[in-house]
């Protein structure tokens, strides 16, 4: 029997990823609808392993729901050279501002690491999202067959030196009908 009650959605917390998150993050990448069809080969064998999580600044968005919490997105910031290597939001969690929260958190982390810019080589359908959160188009990354057979937009986030505010431990996401939070990736 189905309940007519909609589950309560609480705050979204951003936390550092740990090794036990690896399988969950791999499933999130491989299960993304943005990588169906012509893009499927890019993520078919992709793996976010514990070693990757250990080597980079990987952060997960965890949504507090009525009876549990679950990972609804993540990003990876590589420091040298500065690059947003991965950013994914679970298909069912898109449109709730989680991608924007992850980008805001990434900006804070980049600033704390002393970076003044962060490069993104985007999955083509995610370019609009990155532009909507402040990334500037800087060029095109050429295809790299056999894994990536299409050109990809190259963008850059400029990281201003001063912060008016610091993201807190708990970030409240608000539904936004116009948000097009698509998963992104870089080479």
């Amino acid at each position: 029997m189905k309940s007519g009650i909609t589950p309560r959605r609480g705050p979204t917390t951003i936390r550092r990823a740990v090794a036990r998150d690896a399988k969950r993050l791999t499933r999130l990448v491989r299960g993304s609808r943005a990588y169906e069809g012509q893009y499927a080969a890019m993520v078919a064998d992709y793996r976010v392993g514990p070693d990757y999580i250990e080597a980079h600044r990987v952060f997960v968005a965890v949504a507090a729901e009525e009876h549990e919490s679950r990972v609804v997105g993540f990003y990876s910031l590589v420091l040298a050279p500065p690059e947003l290597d991965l950013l994914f939001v679970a298909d069912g969690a898109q449109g709730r501002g989680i991608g924007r929260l992850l980008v805001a958190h990434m900006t804070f982390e980049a600033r704390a690491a002393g970076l003044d810019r962060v490069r993104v080589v985007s999955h083509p359908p995610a370019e609009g999202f990155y532009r909507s959160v402040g990334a500037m188009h800087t060029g095109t990354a050429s295809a790299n067959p056999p894994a990536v057979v299409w050109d990809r937009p190259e963008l850059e986030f400029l990281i201003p030196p001063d912060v008016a505010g610091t993201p807190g431990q708990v970030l409240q996401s608000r539904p936004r009908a116009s948000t097009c939070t698509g998963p992104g990736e870089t080479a």
Side-chain angles (χ1 to χ4, degrees):
M1 178 176 179
K2 289 187 179 179
S3 169
I5 299 172
T6 303
R8 183 185 68 80
R9 289 192 178 139
T12 297
T13 305
I14 307 295
R15 66 163 172 81
R16 188 81 184 244
V18 294
R20 72 177 183 274
D21 291 319
K23 287 182 181 178
R24 185 176 305 138
L25 301 183
T26 296
R27 282 192 304 270
L28 202 153
V29 170
R30 290 182 183 175
S32 173
R33 285 189 312 241
Y35 284 89
E36 293 177 336
Q38 68 175 337
Y39 301 116
M42 178 67 190
V43 297
D45 295 323
Y46 199 87
R47 179 180 165 272
V48 179
D51 53 336
Y52 182 88
I53 291 170
E54 179 73 26
H56 303 295
R57 292 184 184 210
V58 181
F59 291 87
V60 296
V62 180
E65 300 195 351
E66 188 171 0
H67 298 290
E68 64 182 343
S69 53
R70 67 183 183 103
V71 172
V72 292
F74 78 101
Y75 77 88
S76 173
L77 177 63
V78 175
L79 298 181
E83 185 168 4
L84 177 61
D85 187 41
L86 299 165
L87 188 148
F88 280 82
V89 174
D91 293 335
Q94 293 182 16
R96 295 183 3 204
I98 294 165
R100 291 179 184 280
L101 290 174
L102 289 168
V103 168
H105 192 274
M106 180 277 301
T107 301
F108 174 78
E109 286 293 317
R111 184 179 297 109
L115 303 178
D116 64 353
R117 61 191 67 234
V118 174
R119 175 180 182 247
V120 179
V121 178
S122 176
H123 178 50
E127 180 179 12
F129 166 72
Y130 285 118
R131 285 181 178 227
S132 77
V133 293
M136 298 178 307
H137 184 85
T138 58
T140 302
S142 298
N144 184 17
V148 182
V149 296
W150 59 89
D151 291 344
R152 294 157 296 152
E154 188 171 333
L155 302 104
E156 187 173 72
F157 286 100
L158 296 178
I159 309 298
D162 298 320
V163 182
T166 302
Q169 287 300 97
V170 176
L171 302 172
Q172 195 70 29
S173 65
R174 287 175 268 158
R176 300 187 75 229
S178 62
T179 301
C180 179
T181 308
E185 54 83 29
T186 59

